[in-house]
Amino acid sequence: VDVCTLGMFIIATSKLPEKPGNGRVLTDIMGGAGSYTALGARIFAGSRRSRLVGWIVDCGSDFPDSMRREIEQWDTSCLFRPTPERLTTRGWNGYGAGEQRAFRYTTPKLRLDETNLTTELLMSKSFHLICQSTRCMSLVNGIMQRRDRLREERSFKDESVRPMFIWEPVPDLCIPSEWDNCRKALNMIDCISPNHVELAGFFGKEAEVDRNGYVQREVVETLASQMINVGIGPLREGSIVVRAGKDGCCIVRRLENGQIQNTWLPAYHSSDTGAVIDPTGGGNTFLGGLAMALINGHTPEMAAAYGSVVAGVAIEQIGMPKLEADRWNGI
């Protein structure tokens, strides 16, 4: 497996943004951070390498057969886990003014950690983590310890001793009081990817980073540079990819000469052409494509370009894009 996500699968009820043809409330939509991250990696992988995408789906008593068939069509290394004693994790997803998203769980969630990973998933080359700072550190330590034990038990050599960790911080705890924990977590991962508001949240700068619906690029670059100066990754060679919705993304990393480089890329759907139907899951999908590209040797800038494209595919319809003959939405 090249990419394994520890994001969850959920069944969503979604209130779409108030636009012509939207504003509707729709039920029983396949979603969740795990689903969309797997989607992004799967689009990048293509049918020949689809099994390199690993994820977990906990199937409650209400899990629809139609969703299982759709997931099986992707032909990924998906671990279906029957949990008939509970309902599938469900959530409500809504949008207010300026496409500000609100989310809440409507059934008890079943979080994933290293103990849920099969050997195949445990030995993945990279992991997508979506969590708060302290849980990020716990997951990295847990995954590494389990991998070490597995190597000792089976007496085999593994050249990829340390996998790549891509961390997506959860918005509720992107707050100044969490900055010290965030600093510690940054040293343990290889790439962090908040959106611009989440990045600003760690520094209490939310009001400065987004004004009148426009992302303030200088603020993003300044705050991202502060994270780079802390040191991302054990060797301080990691990067930060700031997702900024319709304004694209910013890749920030330190070059070999010591200088910090900022690179902005546009969003796949950068103009209001009506192509964006439901923005839900765009960020998670972006990270699936980003992770798959990074683990296959692409630069952070090129990986972000791949992430932008797959995110564009994810938001062109309600729920998941349609797969036919290795084309997604006909592309």
Side-chain angles (χ1 to χ4, degrees), residues 76-130:
T76 57
S77 292
C78 178
L79 173 62
F80 291 97
R81 299 196 307 176
T83 54
E85 73 283 358
R86 61 184 285 276
L87 295 175
T88 307
T89 303
R90 289 179 176 265
W92 179 90
N93 185 59
Y95 289 88
E99 295 192 359
Q100 290 297 312
R101 183 178 179 233
F103 176 82
R104 68 175 184 271
Y105 290 102
T106 55
T107 65
K109 61 183 178 180
L110 189 59
R111 294 199 302 185
L112 302 173
D113 60 28
E114 70 278 1
T115 64
N116 305 126
L117 300 175
T118 61
T119 298
E120 179 184 32
L121 298 181
L122 179 64
M123 301 311 293
S124 175
K125 295 177 183 176
S126 70
F127 292 91
H128 163 251
L129 311 175
I130 174 168

CSV table of all heavy atoms in Angstrom, one decimal, residues 76-130:
chain,number,residue,atom,x,y,z
A,76,THR,N,-9.9,-0.8,-4.5
A,76,THR,CA,-8.8,-0.4,-3.6
A,76,THR,C,-8.6,-1.5,-2.5
A,76,THR,O,-9.3,-2.5,-2.5
A,76,THR,CB,-9.2,0.9,-2.9
A,76,THR,OG1,-10.4,0.7,-2.2
A,76,THR,CG2,-9.3,2.0,-3.9
A,77,SER,N,-7.6,-1.3,-1.7
A,77,SER,CA,-7.3,-2.2,-0.6
A,77,SER,C,-8.2,-1.7,0.6
A,77,SER,O,-7.6,-1.3,1.6
A,77,SER,CB,-5.8,-2.3,-0.2
A,77,SER,OG,-5.1,-2.9,-1.3
A,78,CYS,N,-9.5,-1.8,0.4
A,78,CYS,CA,-10.4,-1.3,1.5
A,78,CYS,C,-10.7,-2.5,2.4
A,78,CYS,O,-11.1,-3.6,2.0
A,78,CYS,CB,-11.7,-0.8,0.8
A,78,CYS,SG,-12.9,-0.2,2.0
A,79,LEU,N,-10.6,-2.2,3.7
A,79,LEU,CA,-11.0,-3.2,4.7
A,79,LEU,C,-12.4,-2.9,5.2
A,79,LEU,O,-12.6,-1.9,5.9
A,79,LEU,CB,-10.0,-3.1,5.9
A,79,LEU,CG,-10.3,-4.0,7.1
A,79,LEU,CD1,-10.3,-5.4,6.8
A,79,LEU,CD2,-9.3,-3.7,8.3
A,80,PHE,N,-13.3,-3.7,4.8
A,80,PHE,CA,-14.7,-3.6,5.3
A,80,PHE,C,-14.8,-4.3,6.7
A,80,PHE,O,-14.5,-5.5,6.8
A,80,PHE,CB,-15.7,-4.2,4.3
A,80,PHE,CG,-15.8,-3.5,3.0
A,80,PHE,CD1,-15.1,-3.9,1.9
A,80,PHE,CD2,-16.7,-2.4,2.9
A,80,PHE,CE1,-15.2,-3.2,0.7
A,80,PHE,CE2,-16.8,-1.7,1.7
A,80,PHE,CZ,-16.1,-2.1,0.6
A,81,ARG,N,-15.3,-3.6,7.7
A,81,ARG,CA,-15.4,-4.2,9.0
A,81,ARG,C,-16.9,-4.2,9.4
A,81,ARG,O,-17.4,-3.1,9.7
A,81,ARG,CB,-14.6,-3.5,10.0
A,81,ARG,CG,-13.1,-3.5,9.7
A,81,ARG,CD,-12.3,-3.1,11.0
A,81,ARG,NE,-12.7,-1.9,11.6
A,81,ARG,CZ,-12.2,-1.4,12.7
A,81,ARG,NH1,-11.2,-2.0,13.3
A,81,ARG,NH2,-12.6,-0.2,13.2
A,82,PRO,N,-17.6,-5.4,9.5
A,82,PRO,CA,-19.0,-5.4,9.9
A,82,PRO,C,-19.1,-5.0,11.4
A,82,PRO,O,-18.4,-5.6,12.2
A,82,PRO,CB,-19.4,-6.8,9.6
A,82,PRO,CG,-18.4,-7.4,8.7
A,82,PRO,CD,-17.1,-6.7,9.0
A,83,THR,N,-19.9,-4.1,11.7
A,83,THR,CA,-20.2,-3.7,13.1
A,83,THR,C,-21.7,-3.7,13.2
A,83,THR,O,-22.4,-2.6,13.4
A,83,THR,CB,-19.6,-2.4,13.4
A,83,THR,OG1,-20.0,-1.4,12.5
A,83,THR,CG2,-18.1,-2.4,13.4
A,84,PRO,N,-22.4,-4.9,13.2
A,84,PRO,CA,-23.8,-4.9,13.2
A,84,PRO,C,-24.5,-4.5,14.5
A,84,PRO,O,-25.7,-4.2,14.5
A,84,PRO,CB,-24.1,-6.4,13.0
A,84,PRO,CG,-22.9,-7.1,13.5
A,84,PRO,CD,-21.8,-6.2,13.1
A,85,GLU,N,-23.7,-4.3,15.6
A,85,GLU,CA,-24.3,-3.9,16.8
A,85,GLU,C,-24.5,-2.4,16.9
A,85,GLU,O,-25.0,-1.9,17.9
A,85,GLU,CB,-23.3,-4.3,18.0
A,85,GLU,CG,-22.0,-3.6,18.1
A,85,GLU,CD,-21.0,-4.0,17.1
A,85,GLU,OE1,-21.2,-4.9,16.3
A,85,GLU,OE2,-19.9,-3.4,17.1
A,86,ARG,N,-24.1,-1.7,15.9
A,86,ARG,CA,-24.2,-0.2,15.9
A,86,ARG,C,-24.7,0.3,14.5
A,86,ARG,O,-24.7,-0.5,13.5
A,86,ARG,CB,-22.8,0.4,16.2
A,86,ARG,CG,-21.8,0.0,15.1
A,86,ARG,CD,-20.4,0.5,15.4
A,86,ARG,NE,-20.2,1.9,15.1
A,86,ARG,CZ,-20.0,2.5,13.9
A,86,ARG,NH1,-19.9,1.7,12.8
A,86,ARG,NH2,-19.8,3.7,13.8
A,87,LEU,N,-25.0,1.6,14.5
A,87,LEU,CA,-25.3,2.2,13.2
A,87,LEU,C,-24.0,2.7,12.6
A,87,LEU,O,-23.0,3.0,13.3
A,87,LEU,CB,-26.2,3.4,13.4
A,87,LEU,CG,-27.6,3.1,13.9
A,87,LEU,CD1,-28.4,4.4,14.2
A,87,LEU,CD2,-28.4,2.3,12.9
A,88,THR,N,-24.0,2.8,11.3
A,88,THR,CA,-22.8,3.4,10.6
A,88,THR,C,-22.7,4.8,11.1
A,88,THR,O,-23.7,5.5,11.3
A,88,THR,CB,-23.0,3.3,9.1
A,88,THR,OG1,-23.4,2.0,8.7
A,88,THR,CG2,-21.8,3.8,8.3
A,89,THR,N,-21.4,5.3,11.2
A,89,THR,CA,-21.2,6.7,11.6
A,89,THR,C,-21.9,7.6,10.6
A,89,THR,O,-21.7,7.5,9.4
A,89,THR,CB,-19.7,7.0,11.6
A,89,THR,OG1,-19.1,6.1,12.5
A,89,THR,CG2,-19.5,8.4,12.1
A,90,ARG,N,-22.7,8.5,11.1
A,90,ARG,CA,-23.5,9.4,10.3
A,90,ARG,C,-23.2,10.8,10.7
A,90,ARG,O,-22.9,11.1,11.9
A,90,ARG,CB,-25.0,9.1,10.3
A,90,ARG,CG,-25.4,7.9,9.6
A,90,ARG,CD,-26.9,7.6,9.7
A,90,ARG,NE,-27.3,6.5,8.9
A,90,ARG,CZ,-27.7,6.5,7.6
A,90,ARG,NH1,-27.9,7.7,7.0
A,90,ARG,NH2,-28.1,5.4,7.0
A,91,GLY,N,-23.3,11.8,9.8
A,91,GLY,CA,-23.1,13.2,10.1
A,91,GLY,C,-24.0,14.1,9.3
A,91,GLY,O,-24.5,13.7,8.3
A,92,TRP,N,-24.2,15.3,9.9
A,92,TRP,CA,-24.9,16.4,9.2
A,92,TRP,C,-23.9,17.4,8.7
A,92,TRP,O,-23.0,17.9,9.5
A,92,TRP,CB,-25.9,17.0,10.1
A,92,TRP,CG,-26.7,18.1,9.4
A,92,TRP,CD1,-27.9,18.0,8.7
A,92,TRP,CD2,-26.4,19.5,9.4
A,92,TRP,NE1,-28.3,19.3,8.3
A,92,TRP,CE2,-27.4,20.2,8.7
A,92,TRP,CE3,-25.3,20.3,10.0
A,92,TRP,CZ2,-27.3,21.6,8.5
A,92,TRP,CZ3,-25.3,21.6,9.7
A,92,TRP,CH2,-26.3,22.3,9.0
A,93,ASN,N,-24.0,17.8,7.5
A,93,ASN,CA,-23.1,18.7,6.9
A,93,ASN,C,-23.9,19.9,6.3
A,93,ASN,O,-24.8,19.7,5.5
A,93,ASN,CB,-22.3,18.0,5.8
A,93,ASN,CG,-21.2,18.8,5.2
A,93,ASN,OD1,-20.3,19.2,5.8
A,93,ASN,ND2,-21.3,19.0,3.9
A,94,GLY,N,-23.6,21.1,6.6
A,94,GLY,CA,-24.3,22.3,6.1
A,94,GLY,C,-23.4,23.4,5.8
A,94,GLY,O,-22.3,23.5,6.3
A,95,TYR,N,-23.9,24.3,4.9
A,95,TYR,CA,-23.2,25.5,4.5
A,95,TYR,C,-24.0,26.8,4.8
A,95,TYR,O,-25.2,26.8,4.5
A,95,TYR,CB,-22.8,25.4,3.0
A,95,TYR,CG,-21.7,24.4,2.8
A,95,TYR,CD1,-22.1,23.1,2.5
A,95,TYR,CD2,-20.4,24.7,2.8
A,95,TYR,CE1,-21.2,22.1,2.2
A,95,TYR,CE2,-19.4,23.7,2.5
A,95,TYR,CZ,-19.8,22.4,2.3
A,95,TYR,OH,-18.9,21.4,2.0
A,96,GLY,N,-23.3,27.8,5.3
A,96,GLY,CA,-23.9,29.1,5.5
A,96,GLY,C,-23.4,30.1,4.6
A,96,GLY,O,-22.9,29.8,3.5
A,97,ALA,N,-23.4,31.4,5.0
A,97,ALA,CA,-22.9,32.5,4.2
A,97,ALA,C,-21.4,32.3,3.8
A,97,ALA,O,-20.6,31.9,4.7
A,97,ALA,CB,-23.1,33.8,4.9
A,98,GLY,N,-21.1,32.6,2.6
A,98,GLY,CA,-19.7,32.5,2.2
A,98,GLY,C,-19.2,31.0,2.2
A,98,GLY,O,-18.0,30.8,2.2
A,99,GLU,N,-20.1,30.1,2.0
A,99,GLU,CA,-19.8,28.7,2.0
A,99,GLU,C,-19.0,28.2,3.3
A,99,GLU,O,-18.2,27.3,3.2
A,99,GLU,CB,-19.0,28.3,0.7
A,99,GLU,CG,-19.8,28.5,-0.5
A,99,GLU,CD,-19.1,27.9,-1.7
A,99,GLU,OE1,-18.0,27.3,-1.6
A,99,GLU,OE2,-19.7,27.9,-2.8
A,100,GLN,N,-19.3,28.9,4.4
A,100,GLN,CA,-18.7,28.4,5.7
A,100,GLN,C,-19.4,27.1,6.1
A,100,GLN,O,-20.6,27.1,6.2
A,100,GLN,CB,-18.9,29.5,6.7
A,100,GLN,CG,-18.1,30.8,6.5
A,100,GLN,CD,-16.6,30.5,6.6
A,100,GLN,OE1,-16.1,29.8,7.5
A,100,GLN,NE2,-15.8,31.0,5.6
A,101,ARG,N,-18.6,26.1,6.3
A,101,ARG,CA,-19.1,24.8,6.6
A,101,ARG,C,-19.3,24.5,8.1
A,101,ARG,O,-18.5,24.9,8.9
A,101,ARG,CB,-18.1,23.7,6.0
A,101,ARG,CG,-18.6,22.3,6.2
A,101,ARG,CD,-17.6,21.3,5.5
A,101,ARG,NE,-18.1,20.0,5.7
A,101,ARG,CZ,-17.4,19.0,6.2
A,101,ARG,NH1,-16.1,19.3,6.6
A,101,ARG,NH2,-17.8,17.8,6.3
A,102,ALA,N,-20.4,23.8,8.4
A,102,ALA,CA,-20.7,23.4,9.7
A,102,ALA,C,-20.9,21.9,9.6
A,102,ALA,O,-21.5,21.4,8.7
A,102,ALA,CB,-22.0,24.1,10.3
A,103,PHE,N,-20.5,21.2,10.7
A,103,PHE,CA,-20.6,19.7,10.7
A,103,PHE,C,-20.8,19.2,12.1
A,103,PHE,O,-20.3,19.8,13.0
A,103,PHE,CB,-19.3,19.1,10.1
A,103,PHE,CG,-19.3,17.6,10.2
A,103,PHE,CD1,-20.0,16.8,9.2
A,103,PHE,CD2,-18.7,16.9,11.2
A,103,PHE,CE1,-20.0,15.4,9.2
A,103,PHE,CE2,-18.8,15.5,11.3
A,103,PHE,CZ,-19.4,14.8,10.3
A,104,ARG,N,-21.7,18.2,12.2
A,104,ARG,CA,-21.8,17.5,13.5
A,104,ARG,C,-22.2,16.0,13.2
A,104,ARG,O,-22.8,15.7,12.2
A,104,ARG,CB,-23.0,18.2,14.3
A,104,ARG,CG,-24.4,18.0,13.7
A,104,ARG,CD,-25.4,18.6,14.6
A,104,ARG,NE,-26.8,18.3,14.1
A,104,ARG,CZ,-27.4,19.1,13.3
A,104,ARG,NH1,-26.8,20.3,13.0
A,104,ARG,NH2,-28.6,18.8,12.9
A,105,TYR,N,-21.8,15.2,14.1
A,105,TYR,CA,-22.1,13.8,14.1
A,105,TYR,C,-23.5,13.6,14.6
A,105,TYR,O,-23.9,14.2,15.6
A,105,TYR,CB,-21.1,12.9,14.9
A,105,TYR,CG,-19.7,12.9,14.3
A,105,TYR,CD1,-18.7,13.7,14.8
A,105,TYR,CD2,-19.4,12.0,13.2
A,105,TYR,CE1,-17.4,13.6,14.2
A,105,TYR,CE2,-18.2,12.0,12.7
A,105,TYR,CZ,-17.2,12.8,13.2
A,105,TYR,OH,-15.9,12.8,12.6
A,106,THR,N,-24.2,12.7,13.9
A,106,THR,CA,-25.6,12.4,14.4
A,106,THR,C,-25.7,11.0,14.9
A,106,THR,O,-26.8,10.6,15.4
A,106,THR,CB,-26.6,12.6,13.2
A,106,THR,OG1,-26.2,11.8,12.1
A,106,THR,CG2,-26.6,14.0,12.8
A,107,THR,N,-24.7,10.2,14.8
A,107,THR,CA,-24.6,8.9,15.5
A,107,THR,C,-23.2,8.8,16.1
A,107,THR,O,-22.3,9.5,15.7
A,107,THR,CB,-24.8,7.7,14.6
A,107,THR,OG1,-23.7,7.7,13.6
A,107,THR,CG2,-26.1,7.8,13.8
A,108,PRO,N,-23.0,7.9,17.1
A,108,PRO,CA,-21.7,7.8,17.7
A,108,PRO,C,-20.6,7.5,16.7
A,108,PRO,O,-20.8,6.6,15.8
A,108,PRO,CB,-21.8,6.7,18.7
A,108,PRO,CG,-23.3,6.8,19.1
A,108,PRO,CD,-24.0,7.1,17.8
A,109,LYS,N,-19.5,8.1,16.7
A,109,LYS,CA,-18.4,7.9,15.8
A,109,LYS,C,-17.5,6.7,16.3
A,109,LYS,O,-17.4,6.5,17.5
A,109,LYS,CB,-17.6,9.1,15.5
A,109,LYS,CG,-16.9,9.7,16.7
A,109,LYS,CD,-16.2,11.0,16.3
A,109,LYS,CE,-15.5,11.6,17.5
A,109,LYS,NZ,-14.8,12.9,17.2
A,110,LEU,N,-16.9,6.1,15.3
A,110,LEU,CA,-15.9,5.0,15.7
A,110,LEU,C,-14.6,5.4,15.1
A,110,LEU,O,-14.3,5.1,13.9
A,110,LEU,CB,-16.4,3.7,15.1
A,110,LEU,CG,-15.7,2.4,15.6
A,110,LEU,CD1,-15.7,2.3,17.1
A,110,LEU,CD2,-16.3,1.2,14.9
A,111,ARG,N,-13.7,6.0,15.9
A,111,ARG,CA,-12.4,6.5,15.4
A,111,ARG,C,-11.5,5.4,15.1
A,111,ARG,O,-11.6,4.3,15.7
A,111,ARG,CB,-11.8,7.5,16.4
A,111,ARG,CG,-12.6,8.8,16.6
A,111,ARG,CD,-11.7,9.8,17.2
A,111,ARG,NE,-11.2,9.5,18.5
A,111,ARG,CZ,-10.5,10.3,19.3
A,111,ARG,NH1,-10.3,11.6,18.8
A,111,ARG,NH2,-10.0,10.0,20.4
A,112,LEU,N,-10.5,5.6,14.2
A,112,LEU,CA,-9.6,4.6,13.9
A,112,LEU,C,-8.2,5.0,14.5
A,112,LEU,O,-7.8,6.1,14.6
A,112,LEU,CB,-9.4,4.6,12.3
A,112,LEU,CG,-10.7,4.2,11.6
A,112,LEU,CD1,-10.5,4.4,10.1
A,112,LEU,CD2,-11.2,2.9,11.9
A,113,ASP,N,-7.4,3.9,14.8
A,113,ASP,CA,-6.1,4.1,15.2
A,113,ASP,C,-5.2,3.0,14.8
A,113,ASP,O,-5.7,2.1,14.0
A,113,ASP,CB,-5.9,4.3,16.8
A,113,ASP,CG,-6.5,3.1,17.6
A,113,ASP,OD1,-6.4,2.0,17.0
A,113,ASP,OD2,-6.9,3.3,18.7
A,114,GLU,N,-4.0,2.9,15.2
A,114,GLU,CA,-3.0,1.9,14.7
A,114,GLU,C,-3.5,0.5,15.0
A,114,GLU,O,-3.1,-0.5,14.3
A,114,GLU,CB,-1.6,2.1,15.2
A,114,GLU,CG,-1.4,1.9,16.7
A,114,GLU,CD,-1.9,3.0,17.6
A,114,GLU,OE1,-2.4,4.0,17.1
A,114,GLU,OE2,-1.7,2.8,18.9
A,115,THR,N,-4.3,0.3,16.1
A,115,THR,CA,-4.7,-1.1,16.4
A,115,THR,C,-5.7,-1.7,15.4
A,115,THR,O,-5.9,-2.9,15.4
A,115,THR,CB,-5.3,-1.1,17.8
A,115,THR,OG1,-6.5,-0.3,17.8
A,115,THR,CG2,-4.3,-0.6,18.9
A,116,ASN,N,-6.3,-0.8,14.6
A,116,ASN,CA,-7.3,-1.3,13.6
A,116,ASN,C,-6.6,-1.7,12.3
A,116,ASN,O,-7.3,-2.2,11.4
A,116,ASN,CB,-8.3,-0.1,13.3
A,116,ASN,CG,-9.0,0.4,14.6
A,116,ASN,OD1,-9.0,1.6,14.8
A,116,ASN,ND2,-9.5,-0.5,15.4
A,117,LEU,N,-5.3,-1.5,12.1
A,117,LEU,CA,-4.7,-1.7,10.9
A,117,LEU,C,-4.3,-3.2,10.7
A,117,LEU,O,-3.7,-3.8,11.6
A,117,LEU,CB,-3.4,-0.8,10.7
A,117,LEU,CG,-3.7,0.7,10.8
A,117,LEU,CD1,-2.3,1.4,10.8
A,117,LEU,CD2,-4.6,1.1,9.7
A,118,THR,N,-4.6,-3.8,9.6
A,118,THR,CA,-4.1,-5.1,9.2
A,118,THR,C,-2.6,-4.9,8.9
A,118,THR,O,-2.1,-3.8,8.7
A,118,THR,CB,-4.8,-5.6,8.0
A,118,THR,OG1,-4.6,-4.7,6.9
A,118,THR,CG2,-6.3,-5.7,8.2
A,119,THR,N,-1.9,-6.0,8.7
A,119,THR,CA,-0.5,-6.0,8.4
A,119,THR,C,-0.3,-5.2,7.1
A,119,THR,O,0.7,-4.4,7.0
A,119,THR,CB,0.1,-7.4,8.3
A,119,THR,OG1,0.0,-8.1,9.5
A,119,THR,CG2,1.6,-7.4,7.8
A,120,GLU,N,-1.1,-5.5,6.1
A,120,GLU,CA,-1.0,-4.8,4.8
A,120,GLU,C,-1.1,-3.3,5.0
A,120,GLU,O,-0.3,-2.5,4.4
A,120,GLU,CB,-2.1,-5.3,3.9
A,120,GLU,CG,-2.0,-4.6,2.5
A,120,GLU,CD,-3.2,-5.0,1.6
A,120,GLU,OE1,-4.3,-5.3,2.1
A,120,GLU,OE2,-3.0,-5.0,0.4
A,121,LEU,N,-2.1,-2.8,5.8
A,121,LEU,CA,-2.3,-1.4,6.0
A,121,LEU,C,-1.2,-0.8,6.9
A,121,LEU,O,-0.7,0.3,6.7
A,121,LEU,CB,-3.6,-1.1,6.5
A,121,LEU,CG,-4.8,-1.5,5.7
A,121,LEU,CD1,-6.1,-1.1,6.4
A,121,LEU,CD2,-4.8,-0.8,4.3
A,122,LEU,N,-0.8,-1.5,7.9
A,122,LEU,CA,0.2,-1.1,8.8
A,122,LEU,C,1.6,-0.8,8.1
A,122,LEU,O,2.3,0.1,8.5
A,122,LEU,CB,0.5,-2.1,9.9
A,122,LEU,CG,1.5,-1.8,11.0
A,122,LEU,CD1,1.1,-0.6,11.8
A,122,LEU,CD2,1.7,-3.0,11.9
A,123,MET,N,1.9,-1.6,7.1
A,123,MET,CA,3.2,-1.4,6.4
A,123,MET,C,3.1,-0.4,5.2
A,123,MET,O,3.9,-0.4,4.3
A,123,MET,CB,3.7,-2.7,5.9
A,123,MET,CG,3.9,-3.7,7.1
A,123,MET,SD,4.9,-3.0,8.5
A,123,MET,CE,6.5,-2.7,7.7
A,124,SER,N,2.0,0.4,5.2
A,124,SER,CA,1.9,1.4,4.1
A,124,SER,C,3.1,2.3,4.1
A,124,SER,O,3.8,2.6,5.1
A,124,SER,CB,0.6,2.2,4.4
A,124,SER,OG,0.5,3.3,3.4
A,125,LYS,N,3.4,2.8,2.9
A,125,LYS,CA,4.5,3.8,2.7
A,125,LYS,C,4.2,5.2,3.2
A,125,LYS,O,5.1,6.0,3.5
A,125,LYS,CB,4.9,3.9,1.2
A,125,LYS,CG,5.4,2.6,0.7
A,125,LYS,CD,5.7,2.7,-0.8
A,125,LYS,CE,6.2,1.4,-1.4
A,125,LYS,NZ,6.4,1.5,-2.9
A,126,SER,N,2.9,5.5,3.3
A,126,SER,CA,2.5,6.8,3.9
A,126,SER,C,1.2,6.7,4.6
A,126,SER,O,0.4,5.8,4.3
A,126,SER,CB,2.4,7.8,2.8
A,126,SER,OG,1.3,7.6,1.9
A,127,PHE,N,0.9,7.6,5.5
A,127,PHE,CA,-0.3,7.7,6.2
A,127,PHE,C,-0.9,9.1,6.2
A,127,PHE,O,-0.2,10.1,6.4
A,127,PHE,CB,-0.1,7.3,7.7
A,127,PHE,CG,0.2,5.8,7.9
A,127,PHE,CD1,1.6,5.4,7.8
A,127,PHE,CD2,-0.7,4.8,8.0
A,127,PHE,CE1,1.9,4.1,8.0
A,127,PHE,CE2,-0.4,3.5,8.1
A,127,PHE,CZ,0.9,3.1,8.1
A,128,HIS,N,-2.2,9.2,6.0
A,128,HIS,CA,-3.0,10.4,6.2
A,128,HIS,C,-3.6,10.4,7.5
A,128,HIS,O,-4.4,9.5,7.8
A,128,HIS,CB,-4.0,10.5,5.0
A,128,HIS,CG,-5.1,11.6,5.3
A,128,HIS,ND1,-6.4,11.2,5.6
A,128,HIS,CD2,-5.0,12.9,5.3
A,128,HIS,CE1,-7.1,12.3,5.8
A,128,HIS,NE2,-6.3,13.4,5.6
A,129,LEU,N,-3.3,11.4,8.3
A,129,LEU,CA,-3.9,11.5,9.7
A,129,LEU,C,-4.7,12.8,9.7
A,129,LEU,O,-4.3,13.9,9.4
A,129,LEU,CB,-2.8,11.6,10.7
A,129,LEU,CG,-1.7,10.6,10.6
A,129,LEU,CD1,-0.6,10.9,11.7
A,129,LEU,CD2,-2.2,9.2,10.8
A,130,ILE,N,-6.0,12.7,10.2
A,130,ILE,CA,-6.8,13.9,10.4
A,130,ILE,C,-7.2,13.9,11.9
A,130,ILE,O,-8.1,13.1,12.3
A,130,ILE,CB,-8.0,13.9,9.4
A,130,ILE,CG1,-8.9,15.1,9.7
A,130,ILE,CG2,-8.7,12.5,9.4
A,130,ILE,CD1,-10.0,15.3,8.7
